[in-house]
Amino acid sequence: MIESTVKISMKDNNDLGCSYAIVCKDGISVIIILKASECAIFDYNELKENNSYNYLLLKHYINDSFAYKDFLKLIGKMCKKDKNSKYFLNHKDEDNRMLFYDFEHEKELNDEEKTEYEERFLQFKSFVLLNKNKF
């Protein structure tokens, strides 16, 4: 059995204007942060302790509804992941940034799309770094 502990704060219950979930396995934690149409997974301890923005996964959505539903799905996926996965112990050095169209169509961003989504990316990054000590 895979044992996970999940702590969730929804945007209606906090003053951050975002929803987030912290998934813990044997003292190793990831945080999933949803703000509007962006959602990212970070190594929780690394985010809190370092002044870095090393996401393990970052998704841009075409609407907030898809983002919210996928946020819930990602929580379940992180609960199911083994602690030796790339999300917990064995991080990979990759730019795992995705464009989510719907639940059957998502893909990695190409250079042109990265430019197109740059403003949203920078706003989300700024939000996370500004509030990292509140999560």
Side-chain angles (χ1 to χ4, degrees):
M1 174 190 294
I2 297 173
E3 187 172 330
S4 302
T5 303
V6 180
K7 298 176 184 178
I8 296 176
S9 179
M10 301 305 284
K11 70 179 180 179
D12 297 336
N13 300 328
N14 65 48
D15 62 350
L16 295 170
C18 75
S19 297
Y20 65 92
I22 301 166
V23 181
C24 304
K25 294 175 183 287
D26 294 334
I28 307 159
S29 303
V30 296
I31 184 168
I32 308 160
I33 302 171
L34 170 66
K35 174 85 169 145
S37 292
E38 270 67 47
C39 185
I41 301 174
F42 299 91
D43 177 308
Y44 184 59
N45 296 327
E46 184 179 300
L47 181 66
K48 296 284 280 186
E49 294 171 5
N50 301 332
N51 197 24
S52 65
Y53 185 74
N54 296 325
Y55 52 83
L56 303 169
L57 174 66
L58 173 66
K59 291 186 175 187
H60 300 283
Y61 300 86
I62 61 169
N63 64 50
D64 294 359
S65 177
F66 281 167
Y68 175 72
K69 290 174 187 171
D70 198 48
F71 167 72
L72 297 176
K73 185 177 174 184
L74 287 170
I75 294 169
K77 280 185 163 184
M78 291 304 108
C79 288
K80 188 176 177 187
K81 293 280 183 194
D82 187 85
K83 72 178 183 179
N84 292 313
S85 75
K86 70 179 184 177
Y87 292 100
F88 288 93
L89 277 177
N90 296 310
H91 303 312
K92 292 188 177 182
D93 188 20
E94 63 182 353
D95 187 7
N96 196 9
R97 196 165 153 201
M98 307 292 290
L99 185 54
F100 185 101
Y101 297 105
D102 59 43
F103 286 95
E104 296 182 9
H105 302 95
E106 65 181 357
K107 67 177 196 76
E108 288 186 31
L109 268 73
N110 60 36
D111 290 338
E112 183 179 311
E113 291 163 334
K114 285 182 181 180
T115 301
E116 181 182 337
Y117 283 85
E118 186 69 8
E119 185 176 331
R120 285 174 52 177
F121 174 79
L122 292 174
Q123 287 176 352
F124 185 74
K125 178 180 180 179
S126 176
F127 169 78
V128 171
L129 290 175
L130 182 66
N131 293 290
K132 69 180 191 160
N133 293 321
K134 297 177 185 175
F135 296 117

